[in-house]
Each structure stands twice: as C-alpha cells, then as structure tokens.
Amino acid sequence: MIRPLPDAPLDRGHVRDTGHPAATGTRVALVTGASSGIGAAIADRIAAEGGWRLLVSGRHRERLDRVAARTSALALPVDLAAPEGPEALVEDALRAAGRVDLLIAGAGVGWAGPFATMPPAAIDQVVRVDLLAAMRLVRMVVPRMEAERRGHIVLIGSVAGTVGVRGEAVYSAAKAALGVFADALRHELGRAGVRVTHVVPGVVDTPFFARRGTPYTRRLPRPLPPERIADAVWDAVERGRDEVYVPAWMRLPAVVRALAPRLYHRLAARFG
C-alpha cells in the first residue's frame, strides 16, 4: 500500500485572473512542491528578491495558503500525480498571470524499502510525480518560452539520481532520468534562449523522509536546511548555471564513479 501524504482533500477551486504581468513587464515564477520543504523555501527566497509575480503550487491547501500569504503569491493547489494535474496547473497559471518565465519543478515523493516489496502503485506514484509531472510541466511552458526566446526551467533532482541509493531504487531511477532529461533539454533549447538548470541536493531537512515512511537515520551526511537549497537555486537562476550540487562536494561520488568505477562500486557496496 502506498504511504500517502497526510494531505487535506484537494480543492483547486476557482482561480481568479489577478492581472497579467505581461502587460507591465513583471516576470512570473511558478514553483511546484511549494507547500513545504525545498519548494516553500524557494518561494520565500524569490519573494525576498522582489520583482516577480509568484505562483505557488502544492497538494496541501492549508500549508500552501500559508506560504502564499507570507510571499504575496497566488496559490494554485493541484495533485501532480493526477492524470490531468500538470496540464491543469499550467492552464491555471497562464489564466492567472498570462505567462511563466521561470518554472521551478520542485515537487517530489519518495518510497524507501526493498524493491521486491515495493507495491506497483507506489512505483507508479514515484515515477509520475518525480519524473513524468516535471516533463509534462516543461512541455506546457516551453512553446511560449521558445517563441519569446527567453525563459528558465529549474529541475530539482537528488544526489540519489547520481549515485543510486540502497532501498530507494525507483526514486533513484526517476531522479537519474530527470538529470538526463535536463541535459538533453538544455542542448535542445539553448539556441532558443531558454535556460535549463539541474539542481542536485544532498540530504535536506524536510518532511520528505517522514512522508516516504522511513526516517533518515544516517549520521553522515548531515541534512541541510532547505534554505540553503533555495539560495543555490536563486544563485543558479541569477548566474544562469547549468548544474549545481548542494553541497558542492556531493559531485565527488559522481566523479569517482566516472574515473574509477571499480572503486566506486566497492564503496557503494559498503556504504550504500
């Protein structure tokens, strides 16, 4: 059985057209997974900068409304695991703001345990939210960005997608695919003036671990505050960076894997 998020019933309700920033030149940012954790911290960071029309999305309406209230954002609640979720979200965003200049795909779910015991429904949920929803969101915003020759897409990955983590086979696979998707998309959209950034956090102190059903118990690496990831995301947006590891030393396992695969696999077998 899937370990569900402890969310209130979802009600997208009626999204009001609150004015189109396109008419005033204000840039529009859409952040998914914004009801808590990394997504909420990113929303706070963008709001602190000013100059953006901020749209925030998440599954939990009450938490999302609190984030929207403190960031002066418009809340767009949606379940990205639902078949119509990603398309409905972008349609609501365009109806409310007229455009999306910055998409930060931060929504994610996890599941921990032996793959042999992972329910098929849980496999589908992790892949739908962590990979397919991001792809479908990008598919909805890219045509307008290409036409205007501007825009920025930020995909929030995980170090689990770089090295693979024992007990998180499907999550690791989904995040690995997201990283390759970011690379391919960057090559495809670069000439059109659309930037693609892949942010690769290590362990982050968020409700993610509790919701996946298994707490984080390792002594090292120590979980980072989500605000640190938000700062890295904003720095990547400002500088137009392609890929960012947080902390930077998290890139080391990937380097060892590429240059010394036998050593890497011995270490991975020992430390997981």
Side-chain angles (χ1 to χ4, degrees):
M1 182 176 181
I2 295 178
R3 301 176 177 96
L5 298 181
D7 288 339
L10 188 63
D11 178 13
R12 288 174 54 230
H14 177 64
V15 176
R16 295 182 297 108
D17 185 340
T18 56
H20 287 252
T24 62
T26 303
R27 293 174 296 174
V28 177
L30 171 61
V31 182
T32 71
S35 56
S36 65
I38 294 174
I42 292 171
D44 289 336
R45 187 68 174 82
I46 294 174
E49 291 298 321
W52 288 84
R53 175 73 165 96
L54 182 58
L55 312 176
V56 293
S57 179
R59 286 187 58 193
H60 193 287
R61 183 62 190 253
E62 183 179 347
R63 290 200 302 259
L64 188 66
D65 283 343
R66 289 198 294 267
V67 174
R70 71 173 184 254
T71 60
S72 300
L74 175 65
L76 300 176
V78 70
D79 181 2
L80 291 177
E84 73 285 354
E87 288 76 14
L89 173 57
V90 175
E91 288 170 1
D92 283 350
L94 294 177
R95 186 179 304 114
R99 63 188 300 116
V100 174
D101 300 290
L102 171 63
L103 169 65
I104 300 179
V109 297
W111 192 94
F115 178 67
T117 65
M118 187 174 185
I123 296 174
D124 293 345
Q125 184 186 44
V126 170
V127 174
R128 280 199 307 267
V129 176
D130 295 354
L131 177 61
L132 296 181
M135 289 180 167
R136 289 166 59 187
L137 288 169
V138 171
R139 175 62 183 83
M140 289 289 288
V141 303
V142 155
R144 187 182 296 259
M145 289 181 175
E146 286 187 296
E148 298 182 357
R149 302 192 64 80
R150 57 178 292 185
H152 200 144
I153 297 163
V154 178
L155 303 175
I156 306 298
S158 169
V159 70
T162 302
V163 299
V165 175
R166 181 187 297 124
E168 297 184 61
V170 176
Y171 178 76
S172 296
K175 289 300 187 179
L178 190 70
V180 175
F181 174 62
D183 283 341
L185 201 62
R186 190 179 304 115
H187 297 319
E188 183 176 329
L189 300 178
R191 293 183 179 179
V194 180
R195 300 207 63 96
V196 179
T197 298
H198 182 215
V199 177
V200 187
V203 182
V204 186
D205 185 11
T206 73
F208 173 86
F209 294 102
R211 292 174 185 167
R212 73 176 185 175
T214 304
Y216 181 77
T217 58
R218 298 188 183 190
R219 293 179 59 189
L220 295 173
R222 293 181 179 178
L224 300 172
E227 291 77 15
R228 183 166 174 184
I229 314 304
D231 288 342
V233 168
W234 181 253
D235 180 73
V237 170
E238 287 283 274
R239 300 188 183 190
R241 301 179 66 184
D242 292 340
E243 188 169 62
V244 181
Y245 281 76
V246 191
W249 69 264
M250 278 290 178
R251 189 185 296 271
L252 182 59
V255 173
V256 173
R257 182 180 184 181
L259 298 180
R262 294 182 65 182
L263 172 61
Y264 165 79
H265 287 298
R266 286 200 300 268
L267 293 173
R270 180 176 180 182
F271 298 107

